[in-house]
């Protein structure tokens, strides 16, 4: 990743107020910063009880009323293992501001260049026991973030963080899109309700719609060694709830050995924008992550792939050895030849290795990550991959046995590298995983650490990762761009076997504004055949054009075309869109959208001047007018439009589409009808 000179400018120490604030008789604002454009203002204060608080407003209208901050810790023996609530009895030692305006280049992404422009306020606090804690706030033009840090100090060598008290008290009640916090692998349908009606504890993130029509997105960034954040609502306040240990006890996050200020805890982040396109365009989360730690990134390659995969979900192939075993040498050879012919970079092989016989039944058996099944000739596949220029995408299902996988990581990734495998999909099918620290939620600190170790170890062997059953993404791909994509979504596979018949059409119109705001998603679009022999009542609630549009609407630098080669050959003209659409972009814009109803994205290819547009709708047919405002001026483009035919309908006629070619220029408008659960996809090429 390339870096531009960093004009990180310290403005200077604003205040060193020592004990004055602590003795104050009433809560008074002690420090205040504004976003670089002056739009947002953040105020930090202490109450008379020494409780730290912050408030946020936009152009003098309150967004967050004074909201709680703080941690509860158990300190080490120097303070007798006491439980200490760093949420009261605090005094302000110092406050310090700084600002930043820099641009950095992504290795891959929705944009090539990202601007990081923010104002920073650091408050240095001291508890009456003498323990010091800092809170760093960052205010961007489109939101705010804060995180706690513990400066090096004699009284605190080792400590456990038991609880976090961060809260968000909204001045006006938003509606939130959310899923319950116990949702296995985050695979659920997102539900919208006013926050005061949300009963359950919820997963982070929450997408917020405010009464004035503006939007918010509450999540965390840079989660590397801490339990994932969850959230619960009480009236108009949203509170943080750290993922507990699996036995339900407190979080017990051990920061040890203590490394001082640099050892950052994750950022708490609230994006706030007036419009949905601005919400989607926010890059706060990436800006809050550390710059790239991989020096040579030339081996990290975005690509589209196919795989021996959909057959297993349809039940026509098996992972384990059987007469219908999917990952055989013959099938893999056929898929790789198909990939080479149609320009795919890789072929995923699931069920290539020993261990699938008992993988979820009842306790997963040991998987072997370097022993292929006898009917999968890895050496001939490797030779073929060099010959064809198509890589095998490896697969490490663990069945939740992260504890068995972790000691094998070096061996497993060395094996991958030796076989020209540069991307591995990992999997953790088990709601509670076995970690080196015992049975824990995958989003526990132990889980978070495990996933990061996998990414770091893979990088040593020039392997990129597609993490299934992950912890909710928080922007780590900036630091480790070999983390290409992740699941953490009710993905396409549910449309093969879900008992409820498949995800409702609305689902895909919610995801760009919820799960995908957290980072690339391995949803696996591209169903081209809606017959499901084993589950005739379950299928993608989509027209074929809706499936095409997902390649633009759902961002992933590792993008799977999920269906079988023979199904793509049934509609070769529509398949040309999948063959052509890139998965690495120079710029991206949401042209239009309403969460849960429809969306239209336009993205420009990173390696050419071509633009791609994708639009999808929920169960309601609708007509949309798009304006080509994003095109270069004074230039004519050839637009190839893939759209639903007039009689298309996801239930009765999903295959009805037409492909038209027109010419257009910047500012032209085009009205396109979409069928129920339909969509459209456009390629714009300079004439
Ligand atoms: C669940 C994953 O999401 C899916 O893609 C994979 O095929 C199975 N686990 C088996 O690993």
């Amino acid at each position: 990743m390339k870096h531009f000179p960093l004009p990180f400018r310290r403005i200077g120490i604003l205040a060193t107020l020592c004990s004055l604030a602590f003795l104050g008789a009433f809560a008074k604002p002690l420090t205040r910063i504004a976003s670089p454009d002056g739009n947002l203002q953040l105020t930090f204060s202490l109450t008379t009880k020494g409780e730290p608080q912050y408030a946020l407003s936009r152009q003098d209208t309150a967004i967050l009323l004074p909201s709680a901050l703080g941690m509860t810790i158990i300190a080490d023996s120097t303070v007798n293992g006491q439980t200490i609530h760093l949420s009261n009895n605090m005094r302000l030692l110092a406050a310090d501001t700084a600002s930043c305006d820099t641009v950095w280049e992504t290795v891959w992404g929705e944009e090539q260049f990202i601007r990081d422009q923010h104002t920073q306020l650091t408050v240095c606090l001291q508890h009456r026991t003498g323990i010091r804690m800092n809170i760093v706030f960052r205010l961007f033009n489109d939101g705010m973030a804060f995180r706690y840090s513990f400066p090096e100090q004699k009284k605190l060598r080792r400590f456990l963080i038991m609880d976090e008290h961060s809260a968000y008290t909204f001045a006006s009640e938003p509606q939130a899109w959310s899923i319950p916090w116990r949702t296995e692998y985050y695979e659920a349908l997102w539900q919208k309700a006013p926050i005061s009606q949300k009963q359950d504890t919820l997963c982070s993130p929450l997408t917020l719609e405010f009464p004035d029509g503006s939007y918010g997105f509450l999540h965390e960034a840079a989660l590397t060694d801490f339990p994932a954040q969850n959230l619960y609502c009480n009236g108009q306040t949203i509170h943080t709830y750290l993922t507990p240990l699996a036995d339900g006890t407190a979080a017990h996050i051990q920061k040890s050995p203590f490394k001082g200020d640099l050892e950052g805890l994750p950022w708490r982040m609230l994006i706030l924008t007036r419009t949905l396109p601005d919400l989607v365009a926010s890059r706060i989360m990436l800006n809050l992550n550390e710059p790239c730690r991989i020096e040579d990134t030339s081996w990290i390659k975005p690509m589209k792939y196919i795989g021996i995969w959909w057959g297993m979900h349809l039940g026509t192939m098996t992972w384990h050895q059987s007469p219908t075993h999917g990952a055989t040498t013959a099938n893999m050879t056929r898929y790789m030849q198909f990939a080479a012919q149609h320009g795919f970079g890789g072929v995923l092989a699931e069920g290539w290795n020993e261990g699938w016989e008992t993988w979820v039944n009842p306790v997963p058996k040991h998987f072997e990550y370097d022993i292929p099944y006898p009917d999968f000739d890895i050496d001939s596949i490797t030779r073929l991959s060099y010959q064809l220029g198509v890589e095998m995408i490896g697969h490490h299902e663990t069945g939740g046995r992260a504890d068995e996988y972790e000691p094998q990581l070096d061996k497993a990734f060395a094996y991958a590298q030796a076989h020209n495998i540069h991307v591995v999909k990992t999997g953790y099918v088990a709601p509670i995983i076995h970690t080196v620290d015992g049975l824990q939620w995958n989003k526990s600190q132990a889980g978070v650490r495990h996933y990061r170790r996998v990414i770091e170890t893979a990088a040593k062997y020039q392997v990129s990762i597609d993490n299934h059953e992950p912890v909710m993404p928080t922007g780590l791909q900036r630091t480790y761009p070999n983390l290409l994509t992740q699941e953490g979504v009710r993905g396409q596979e549910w449309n093969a076997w879900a008992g409820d018949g498949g995800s409702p059409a609305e689902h895909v119109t919610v995801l760009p504004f919820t799960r995908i705001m957290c980072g690339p998603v391995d949803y696996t679009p591209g169903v081209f055949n809606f017959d499901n022999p084993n589950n005739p009542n379950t299928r993608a609630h989509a027209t074929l054009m809706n499936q095409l549009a997902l390649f633009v609407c759902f961002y992933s630098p590792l993008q799977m075309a999920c269906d079988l080669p023979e199904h793509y050959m049934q509609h070769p003209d529509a398949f040309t869109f999948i063959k052509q659409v890139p998965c690495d972009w120079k710029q991206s814009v949401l042209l239009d959208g309403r969460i849960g109803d429809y969306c239209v994205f336009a993205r420009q290819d990173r390696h050419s001047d071509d633009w791609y547009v994708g639009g999808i709708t929920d169960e309601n047919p609708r007509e949309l007018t798009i304006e080509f405002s994003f095109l270069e001026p004074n230039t004519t483009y050839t637009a190839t439009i893939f759209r639903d035919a007039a009689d298309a309908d996801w239930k009765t006629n999903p295959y009805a589409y037409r492909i038209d070619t027109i010419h257009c220029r910047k500012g032209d408008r085009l009205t396109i009808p979409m069928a129920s659960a339909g969509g459209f996809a456009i390629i714009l090429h300079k004439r």
Side-chain angles (χ1 to χ4, degrees):
M1 198 169 293
K2 195 162 123 196
H3 290 281
F4 290 80
L6 191 84
F8 200 94
R9 195 158 48 86
R10 264 183 121 71
I11 291 176
I13 293 181
L14 247 199
T16 305
L17 299 175
C18 298
S19 58
L20 289 179
F22 187 53
L23 300 173
F26 49 86
K28 59 178 177 199
L30 296 171
T31 44
R32 192 179 160 92
I33 49 169
S35 59
D37 65 357
N39 185 39
L40 296 172
Q41 301 89 37
L42 183 138
T43 307
F44 173 82
S45 62
L46 286 165
T47 67
T48 50
K49 293 179 183 158
E51 296 157 325
Q53 295 184 329
Y54 71 108
L56 191 72
S57 58
R58 177 163 45 208
Q59 290 170 352
D60 296 326
T61 304
I63 294 181
L64 290 176
L65 302 174
S67 301
L69 294 162
M71 293 271 187
T72 293
I73 65 167
I74 296 185
D76 68 357
S77 53
T78 51
V79 280
N80 304 322
Q82 276 173 269
T83 297
I84 300 169
H85 301 290
L86 300 172
S87 49
N88 55 43
N89 288 307
M90 305 292 276
R91 63 181 178 136
L92 185 69
L93 293 182
D96 190 4
T97 61
S99 67
C100 166
D101 191 357
T102 186
V103 174
W104 54 280
E105 185 172 6
T106 58
V107 174
W108 46 259
E110 290 180 271
E111 260 92 33
Q112 187 165 1
F113 297 103
I114 291 182
R115 184 173 183 185
D116 180 359
Q117 192 190 17
H118 66 256
T119 317
Q120 179 169 299
L121 166 70
T122 304
V123 293
C124 307
L125 304 169
Q126 186 168 43
H127 188 253
R128 74 163 172 223
T129 52
I131 288 178
R132 283 179 287 129
M133 179 179 81
N134 298 341
I135 309 176
V136 184
F137 297 92
R138 283 193 185 162
L139 210 45
F140 300 80
N141 295 336
D142 53 357
M144 66 108 199
F146 61 86
R147 80 165 160 199
Y148 303 90
S149 74
F150 292 86
E152 213 148 1
Q153 51 197 298
K154 284 211 181 87
K155 287 204 163 200
L156 204 60
R157 293 251 159 72
R158 289 163 56 91
F159 62 104
L160 296 172
I161 295 174
M162 301 299 291
D163 205 356
E164 177 178 332
H165 307 287
S166 310
Y168 310 82
T169 299
F170 289 95
S172 65
E173 184 181 1
Q175 307 225 40
W177 289 91
S178 67
I179 53 175
W181 82 283
R182 279 176 193 273
T183 304
E184 285 177 10
Y185 329 118
Y186 308 99
E187 296 184 15
L189 302 173
W190 295 70
Q191 308 289 349
K192 178 182 171 182
I195 60 170
S196 62
Q197 285 171 31
K198 297 272 181 189
Q199 306 291 338
D200 204 348
T201 300
L202 308 166
C203 286
S204 184
L206 296 183
T207 301
L208 307 172
E209 294 186 33
F210 291 95
D212 68 354
S214 65
Y215 294 89
F217 184 74
L218 187 56
H219 192 35
E220 59 184 328
L223 177 66
T224 57
D225 192 5
F226 203 63
Q229 156 182 278
N230 303 283
L231 301 157
Y232 65 93
C233 306
N234 183 2
Q236 287 189 196
T237 301
I238 298 176
H239 299 267
T240 306
Y241 175 61
L242 298 177
T243 300
L245 297 183
D247 64 10
T249 57
H252 285 283
I253 309 100
Q254 182 143 26
K255 298 302 291 180
S256 168
F258 182 46
K259 293 196 197 113
D261 246 348
L262 291 177
E263 182 80 346
L265 302 179
W267 289 92
R268 305 305 176 211
M269 172 188 85
L270 176 62
I271 301 173
L272 290 163
T273 62
R274 293 214 186 264
T275 68
L276 207 47
D278 285 348
L279 189 82
V280 167
S282 175
R283 298 292 170 246
I284 295 182
M285 192 179 71
L286 286 175
N287 281 329
L288 291 167
N289 275 270
E290 297 295 319
C292 183
R293 289 203 182 141
I294 299 174
E295 220 164 278
D296 169 18
T297 56
S298 58
W299 53 272
I300 301 172
K301 295 210 172 67
M303 64 158 108
K304 284 174 293 179
Y305 71 104
I306 57 168
I308 299 178
W309 179 78
W310 189 232
M312 279 84 98
H313 289 274
L314 290 176
T316 56
M317 289 175 172
T318 63
W319 280 281
H320 60 271
Q321 284 202 298
S322 75
T324 55
H325 182 211
T328 61
T329 313
N331 277 343
M332 191 62 181
T333 304
R334 183 164 64 86
Y335 272 63
M336 287 177 82
Q337 284 163 346
F338 181 85
Q341 200 182 340
H342 298 286
F344 291 92
V347 178
L348 167 70
E350 291 201 6
W352 68 277
N353 61 329
E354 299 269 1
W356 286 88
E357 280 65 27
T358 54
W359 72 291
V360 283
N361 189 18
V363 178
K365 217 183 112 193
H366 196 74
F367 274 101
E368 302 292 346
Y369 303 105
D370 58 351
I371 306 184
Y373 274 132
D375 59 352
F376 190 81
D377 181 350
I378 188 82
D379 292 327
S380 90
I381 300 295
T382 306
R383 278 195 300 276
L384 190 64
S385 80
Y386 283 117
Q387 255 170 37
L388 298 176
V390 171
E391 290 174 13
M392 168 171 157
I393 296 186
H395 186 228
H396 295 169
E397 175 57 60
T398 66
R401 295 306 306 247
D403 58 339
E404 289 188 344
Y405 182 39
E406 209 164 298
Q408 298 188 62
L409 288 176
D410 279 288
K411 187 175 78 169
F413 289 123
Y415 179 88
Q417 190 179 30
H419 292 90
N420 197 28
I421 296 170
H422 298 289
V423 179
V424 167
K425 170 174 169 179
T426 56
Y428 299 83
V429 176
I432 307 271
I433 61 173
H434 295 255
T435 73
V436 288
D437 295 329
L439 270 174
Q440 300 296 345
W441 296 100
N442 71 345
K443 55 180 167 175
S444 65
Q445 183 179 20
V448 168
R449 279 182 178 165
H450 169 75
Y451 293 124
R452 184 169 47 84
R453 273 177 202 147
V454 173
I455 299 160
E456 285 171 345
T457 313
K460 285 201 295 185
Y461 298 91
Q462 303 201 330
V463 172
S464 294
I465 293 294
D466 168 6
N467 187 176
H468 275 230
E469 296 82 35
V471 64
M472 185 58 79
T474 60
L476 284 195
Q477 71 270 22
R478 178 177 178 190
T479 314
Y480 307 103
N482 68 318
L483 174 59
L484 282 177
T485 193
Q486 308 196 60
E487 195 189 31
V489 70
R490 180 172 155 136
Q492 187 83 273
E493 63 193 30
W494 285 70
N495 296 328
W497 41 252
D500 58 11
S503 302
E506 174 194 89
H507 184 52
V508 289
T509 68
V510 175
L511 292 178
F513 309 107
T514 53
R515 159 62 185 84
I516 305 176
M517 288 284 296
C518 300
V521 68
D522 195 29
Y523 179 88
T524 68
V527 168
F528 260 42
N529 183 300
F530 298 94
D531 294 333
N532 190 342
N534 291 323
N535 281 307
N537 297 322
T538 299
R539 51 165 286 199
H541 294 202
T543 66
L544 200 134
M545 293 297 104
N546 177 288
Q547 289 290 315
L548 283 194
L550 296 182
F551 284 83
V552 182
C553 294
F554 286 9
Y555 171 62
S556 182
L558 184 70
Q559 187 73 280
M560 184 182 206
C562 72
D563 214 330
L564 312 174
E566 50 272 34
H567 290 164
Y568 287 126
M569 288 302 89
Q570 287 165 359
H571 304 283
D573 52 355
F575 187 49
T576 55
F577 182 82
I578 297 184
K579 287 164 62 166
Q580 240 176 286
V581 66
C583 56
D584 192 16
W585 306 101
K586 207 179 279 166
Q587 46 180 327
S588 300
V589 271
L590 175 72
L591 295 181
D592 198 359
R594 228 172 25 227
I595 308 175
D597 293 337
Y598 69 94
C599 61
V600 186
F601 282 87
R603 303 189 194 266
Q604 188 178 28
D605 180 16
R606 187 169 289 212
H607 305 288
S608 75
D609 291 332
D610 295 352
W611 280 87
Y612 290 77
V613 181
I616 50 174
T617 179
D618 61 4
E619 68 285 2
N620 298 310
R622 72 183 82 228
E623 199 170 78
L624 286 182
T625 299
I626 52 173
E627 192 182 321
F628 293 109
S629 49
F630 49 88
L631 296 178
E632 216 175 277
N634 309 318
T635 310
T636 303
Y637 289 77
T638 304
T640 312
I641 306 166
F642 301 74
R643 62 200 243 193
D644 294 322
D647 55 347
D649 178 278
W650 78 266
K651 266 193 216 140
T652 56
N653 202 7
Y655 304 105
Y657 60 84
R658 44 185 278 195
I659 302 172
D660 302 317
T661 303
I662 61 165
H663 291 131
C664 61
R665 290 166 75 84
K666 182 179 173 75
D668 286 355
R669 294 168 145 248
L670 178 70
T671 299
I672 309 185
M674 293 185 279
S676 167
F680 62 86
I682 307 176
I683 303 171
L684 290 147
H685 181 68
K686 270 191 195 173
R687 236 177 118 191

